[in-house]
Amino acid sequence: MERILAFYDSDEHYARRFMEYFKKKQDLGMSLAIFTRKDSLLDYLNQNPVDILLLGESISDLTGDLNCGKVKQIYKLADTTTINHEAGWTLINKYQMVQAIISDIKADYMRHESELASAKPDKLKLISIISPIQDLASLIFAWSSGLLVSERSRVLLVSLELLPVRVISTSDYSNQPLTELIYYIKEKADIISRIKTLACHQGGLSYLAGIANGADILALNKEDMQHWIAALRTESDYEQVIFYSCSNSEATQELIKASDRVIYCCREGIHEELLYGEWVNQLERANINLARDKLIKLQLPEETRINRLPLTAVELGDSDCWNFARQCLDIFY
């Protein structure tokens, strides 16, 4: 279900820029209502609740007129990004592209929704994206899938890269959160609280990426993964958790066994076919038999539009694997 974003700014030129951006982008998970007059906005709010209200920088005479029960979150364009405690809204840096403004708003909105969520989903869906060889195409596909699915659901992406590579320029790997989380998993501590503290946000997507040493991931055993998955299924408020893994470790095999869906990513070629066959054989020797409706083998397209890393959000949205992921969205539901 799309969220409603109402944008109110007396600057008609800037409001038009916002409208033009929304016309170009069809996958934002939002519908837009533009207002340049206060009376029109108030009339609309009297009849329609909105999820997000974004105010232009010059708007200052609105708070007393608003029916706050009709608006979930209020944001305002400004010189800095912070919370205006007196007015009850969050300030968003206006000196950035519309794409970045929308991304900042969605990240804050999803974080706020996650904190307020009291009801847990009926059933969390666990999806594994497996690439036996870590490559650019599978990474782009995993990030694209997580971001696209997060337009409709509360999603956590966990990137179990042994050698982390930052794909998106605005993503944050600096604190190496997986190293700390693995320590808590090993200690059988409160995993979900740590995830909420350690998770970063890219648009509406929550994610965990970055590790001090790939050996930390390989040190996860079967029991560790069972404990991690059990906590996610019983205590988290995510609707989907997507794991990206490029190994066939004991923990990854347990993840595959517990997943509701396993997406095997590969490229075309003789070696790739033999690699897939060996992967299946090793799973069978570990007594893991994947049902046909659980395993999906995807042949990823060659990335022809990427010539540097990390990517901006706009460059990611123009990539071959982003477009391919958008065509494959049905397999995540």
Side-chain angles (χ1 to χ4, degrees), residues 8-49:
Y8 170 42
D9 195 339
S10 56
D11 184 342
E12 294 186 6
H13 175 71
Y14 194 78
R16 192 177 302 114
R17 281 181 55 197
F18 245 80
M19 184 180 298
E20 290 172 354
Y21 174 76
F22 266 76
K23 286 181 179 178
K24 292 178 182 177
K25 299 291 288 183
Q26 301 295 322
D27 54 356
L28 293 171
M30 294 181 176
S31 58
L32 178 68
I34 292 279
F35 302 93
T36 56
R37 292 171 41 196
K38 182 170 74 172
D39 58 342
S40 298
L41 171 66
L42 295 178
D43 286 344
Y44 181 85
L45 291 178
N46 283 335
Q47 302 295 326
N48 305 279

Side-chain angles (χ1 to χ4, degrees), residues 1 17 39 64 83 132 168 262:
M1 181 177 180
R17 281 181 55 197
D39 58 342
I83 296 176
I168 308 175
V262 178

Side-chain angles (χ1 to χ4, degrees), residues 13 23-24 41 88 94 142 151 175 178 195 201 203-204 231 234 260 282 290:
H13 175 71
K23 286 181 179 178
K24 292 178 182 177
L41 171 66
K94 68 176 183 179
E151 303 286 4
N175 293 327
L178 283 173
I195 288 177
H201 300 271
T234 59
D260 299 294
Q282 288 192 18
L290 295 177

Side-chain angles (χ1 to χ4, degrees), residues 204-217:
L205 176 69
S206 300
Y207 69 89
L208 290 167
I211 192 103
N213 193 317
D216 296 339
I217 293 174

Side-chain angles (χ1 to χ4, degrees), residues 50-252:
V50 302
D51 299 284
I52 297 167
L53 173 61
L54 176 61
L55 305 176
E57 183 186 18
S58 62
I59 305 303
S60 60
D61 60 343
L62 188 65
T63 308
D65 299 317
L66 276 179
N67 179 355
C68 293
K70 292 283 190 176
V71 182
K72 287 187 178 180
Q73 287 288 103
I74 303 175
Y75 299 89
K76 184 177 180 181
L77 298 175
D79 292 339
T80 58
T81 302
T82 185
I83 296 176
N84 186 321
H85 294 285
E86 182 177 350
W89 54 51
T90 299
L91 302 181
I92 297 293
N93 185 0
K94 68 176 183 179
Y95 295 114
Q96 52 184 337
M97 296 176 63
V98 174
Q99 164 87 18
I101 291 173
I102 298 297
S103 180
D104 285 352
I105 290 173
K106 287 169 65 178
D108 185 82
Y109 182 84
M110 294 300 291
R111 186 183 301 113
H112 184 74
E113 272 201 338
S114 178
E115 290 172 354
L116 293 180
S118 56
K120 304 224 174 4
D122 293 337
K123 183 182 178 183
L124 176 141
K125 191 164 189 178
L126 184 63
I127 295 177
S128 297
I129 297 177
I130 306 296
S131 177
I133 299 176
Q134 180 180 325
D135 62 356
L136 179 60
S138 62
L139 274 171
I140 296 291
F141 176 78
W143 277 97
S144 300
S145 299
L147 287 164
L148 288 164
V149 176
S150 72
E151 303 286 4
R152 309 181 192 177
S153 309
R154 294 192 299 275
V155 181
L156 172 67
L157 172 67
V158 182
S159 185
L160 299 177
E161 301 168 68
L162 302 180
L163 297 170
V165 175
R166 195 159 60 96
V167 168
I168 308 175
S169 59
T170 49
S171 61
D172 184 9
Y173 287 27
S174 59
N175 293 327
Q176 301 162 341
L178 283 173
T179 293
E180 183 176 343
L181 180 62
I182 288 171
Y183 168 80
Y184 281 91
I185 292 172
K186 290 284 188 182
E187 292 296 314
K188 301 294 188 291
D190 184 354
I191 299 174
I192 302 304
S193 294
R194 298 313 303 172
I195 288 177
K196 289 181 178 179
T197 302
L198 295 169
C200 297
H201 300 271
Q202 179 73 35
L205 176 69
S206 300
Y207 69 89
L208 290 167
I211 192 103
N213 193 317
D216 296 339
I217 293 174
L218 295 177
L220 287 167
N221 58 33
K222 175 180 178 180
E223 289 72 25
D224 295 330
M225 185 57 72
Q226 288 174 342
H227 178 55
W228 191 356
I229 292 171
L232 288 170
R233 288 199 185 279
T234 59
E235 301 173 40
S236 77
D237 55 16
Y238 297 109
E239 295 170 272
Q240 289 203 36
V241 177
I242 301 172
F243 280 86
Y244 170 80
S245 178
C246 52
S247 73
N248 196 33
S249 65
E250 179 181 316
T252 298

